[in-house]
Amino acid sequence: MTQLSVNLPGLSLKNPVMPASGCFGFGREYSEFYDLNQLGAVIMKAATGEVRYGNKTPRVAETSSGMLNAIGLQNPGVDKIISREVPFLAEYNMPIIANVAGSTIEEYVMIASAFNNTEHVKALELNISCPNVKEGGIQFGTDPDMAAEVTEKVKTASDLPVYVKLSPNVSDIVGMAKAVEAAGADGLSMINTITGMQINLSAKKPLLANQTGGLSGGAIKPVAIRMIYEVKQHVSIPIIGMGGVSTAEDVLEFLLAGANAVAVGTANFQNPYVCPELIENLPNVLRQYGFDSVTDAVGKGHV
Amino acid sequence: MKKRVEMTVKSVSEIALDTFEMTLENAYTATMAIPGQFLHLLVGDHTLRRPISIADIDYDQDTVTILFKQIGDGTRQLASLEVGMNVNAIGPAGNGFTYDQSMNSALLVGGGIGIPPLYCLGKQLRENGIEVKSVLGFQTDQHIFYEEKFQELGETYVVTDDGSYGYRGFVTDVLDQAGYFDHYFSCGPIPMLQAVTNKLGKISGSISLEERLGCGVGACFACVIPAGTEGFYRKICSDGPVFAAEEVIL
């Protein structure tokens, strides 16, 4: 084990930093900025059963210390992702995590099954928390019984470890986490975006065509830290933390709260090199705060 | 490889109401840039970068000139940069204008802050011996910029929404006066592009689109435009911003 390496179910990570789903496409664009081999892993853009064209534009709006998005899970469908996108990422020496999104439990199961035996896809991230689609997604992410049911069915259908991506748009995040852990989840991803809205003053109407969107970026980091901190005290499965990570100090803060690894989303848009930069800076930050390794720091922020 | 670069401000001035011209120096960007591409600029601590189209390129001086309208805090901070300061840019970004060098004549149709990339293009067309005519639309006489520069390229028609200068009305009201041309290039708000492409019918054309961008490099799918009846789409930031007029559904 090196200072930065992390072992999670299905994932042998050379460092704890990976791009978050939806913010990195399928890696091609950022591979033109730097060598993706530097990344700990990559979480692909969501896969649905069929091609999905997403919401009308405008789909993004800037907010104080963050942004709203309502892309609407646009993707070419799981078959094309497996045939066209996975082979590109498989050229790199890092595990691929497939983000799975559906409208029905059957769709989740079908997509999860499709990733069985897909070389280099080492884990699934179950997206039960996208706030920007009219059907599916969020309803599974806000009802613990439904979240447990979809997790259990996907676990039965999949050979891969399943990380369930939790929605922050709930009153009891610990209850959601415990429900999916009991249903067999191998890990958690948290948090997804927080539902928000911006009004365009000129038009006197919501700016996003979808009206509401998911708030991400630095603005939601304190919410992510709080939820990870709370959940860590009640579950034993590992957590991939996300929500406003943009510096190596942020990575350490997530580790201290209880995350075992982190995903970087919106910060990629501001700085396309953010992932390799914080991988480079993390050893110094760990040392500065008295930790020998990433794993040493996990959960150490708890009182 | 795509690049993020630091560009140095060589000059900045307000050339029309709330419209700023800024010349930025960076050898890589100036060498690689073509008309129609944009710079994705980081301004202050804003989460999202600002896409600003390239209005001129000086390959000898290693400079790129941009024009932008001050409409919010980001562009206000950009306008406040002083000579010698640096601005962080991804670029040149996107795919710019392409053209058949054997054509004889081109019409440029621009609206407001969509006009700048057409100037850069028009200069290159003239250097290649292609006749250029321009139709430029502004809100009022206070918003007019680069009229003389376009006049140097060829016959230029100016329209204003309120009639305070030139013709009163929209760019489509004077298109008939431009006479014959082989190909048109248009950039401006989508309603203007819809009107222009409708009016010019089946004449060969290229259009440059604007949309709110997320990543600006093609990864986030924020800035898509429909491109067919089967739900096919194109990404404005990376497939465009320039498209063949018939390639996308406005």
Side-chain angles (χ1 to χ4, degrees), chain A residues 285-296:
Chain A
V285 171
L286 287 171
R287 198 174 308 119
Q288 184 185 344
Y289 288 94
F291 295 103
D292 292 330
S293 69
V294 166
T295 50
D296 277 353

Side-chain angles (χ1 to χ4, degrees), chain A residues 3-48:
Chain A
Q3 187 185 22
L4 294 187
S5 63
V6 177
N7 279 323
L8 302 178
L11 300 170
S12 177
L13 309 176
K14 53 183 170 282
N15 65 66
V17 177
M18 61 193 86
S21 181
C23 300
F24 209 72
F26 299 97
R28 292 177 193 274
E29 292 79 13
Y30 288 98
S31 75
E32 294 182 45
F33 285 97
Y34 60 86
D35 182 358
L36 301 187
N37 282 309
Q38 297 172 74
L39 299 170
V42 63
I43 311 179
M44 292 193 293
K45 186 163 173 55
T48 53

Side-chain angles (χ1 to χ4, degrees), chain A:
Chain A
M1 293 282 282
T2 69
Q3 187 185 22
L4 294 187
S5 63
V6 177
N7 279 323
L8 302 178
L11 300 170
S12 177
L13 309 176
K14 53 183 170 282
N15 65 66
V17 177
M18 61 193 86
S21 181
C23 300
F24 209 72
F26 299 97
R28 292 177 193 274
E29 292 79 13
Y30 288 98
S31 75
E32 294 182 45
F33 285 97
Y34 60 86
D35 182 358
L36 301 187
N37 282 309
Q38 297 172 74
L39 299 170
V42 63
I43 311 179
M44 292 193 293
K45 186 163 173 55
T48 53
E50 302 296 326
V51 59
R52 203 182 281 217
Y53 298 107
N55 297 322
K56 291 189 185 326
T57 57
R59 292 175 168 189
V60 287
E62 189 176 68
T63 67
S64 300
S65 303
M67 62 171 270
L68 289 165
N69 91 83
I71 308 295
L73 296 180
Q74 180 164 352
N75 79 96
V78 64
D79 290 343
K80 287 197 173 111
I81 288 173
I82 289 173
S83 64
R84 293 183 191 174
E85 308 297 348
V86 172
F88 170 78
L89 287 168
E91 294 293 313
Y92 295 93
N93 178 30
M94 63 180 173
I96 301 167
I97 301 170
N99 183 287
V100 175
S103 300
T104 62
I105 287 181
E106 291 71 26
E107 187 180 1
Y108 278 103
V109 166
M110 184 275 277
I111 301 160
S113 305
F115 281 110
N116 284 336
N117 304 317
T118 303
E119 198 180 2
H120 297 285
V121 174
K122 301 297 187 191
L124 303 180
E125 182 182 65
L126 204 57
N127 185 349
I128 58 168
S129 45
C130 177
N132 300 322
V133 290
K134 286 194 167 51
E135 54 179 27
I138 192 71
Q139 82 217 35
F140 293 101
T142 52
D143 179 333
D145 292 335
M146 289 183 74
E149 186 180 354
V150 70
T151 303
E152 196 175 331
K153 294 273 172 53
V154 165
K155 276 297 293 176
T156 305
S158 175
D159 300 332
L160 297 168
V162 174
Y163 293 75
V164 180
K165 189 166 186 174
L166 298 184
S167 169
N169 301 307
V170 296
S171 54
D172 180 14
I173 191 73
V174 171
M176 292 298 299
K178 288 166 78 170
V180 298
E181 182 185 40
D186 298 279
L188 302 171
S189 283
M190 53 189 299
I191 57 174
N192 208 322
T193 55
I194 300 174
T195 306
M197 182 184 255
Q198 188 174 105
I199 306 287
N200 181 330
L201 297 185
S202 301
K204 304 178 187 68
K205 296 281 188 302
L207 191 151
L208 296 175
N210 192 54
Q211 299 185 22
T212 61
L215 180 65
S216 62
I220 72 166
K221 199 185 89 178
V223 180
I225 295 292
R226 186 269 291 180
M227 288 189 160
I228 291 167
Y229 188 95
E230 285 183 0
V231 164
K232 189 70 175 179
Q233 298 171 53
H234 294 93
V235 301
S236 56
I237 51 178
I239 298 170
I240 301 173
M242 60 200 72
V245 177
S246 69
T247 66
E249 285 79 3
D250 291 338
V251 177
L252 178 57
E253 191 176 345
F254 273 78
L255 297 175
L256 294 172
N260 300 77
V262 297
V264 183
T266 305
N268 289 289
F269 302 168
Q270 192 181 53
N271 174 10
Y273 302 94
V274 65
C275 288
E277 284 180 6
L278 53 85
I279 291 165
E280 185 184 351
N281 294 337
L282 189 54
N284 283 340
V285 171
L286 287 171
R287 198 174 308 119
Q288 184 185 344
Y289 288 94
F291 295 103
D292 292 330
S293 69
V294 166
T295 50
D296 277 353
V298 175
K300 292 287 166 52
H302 286 245
V303 294

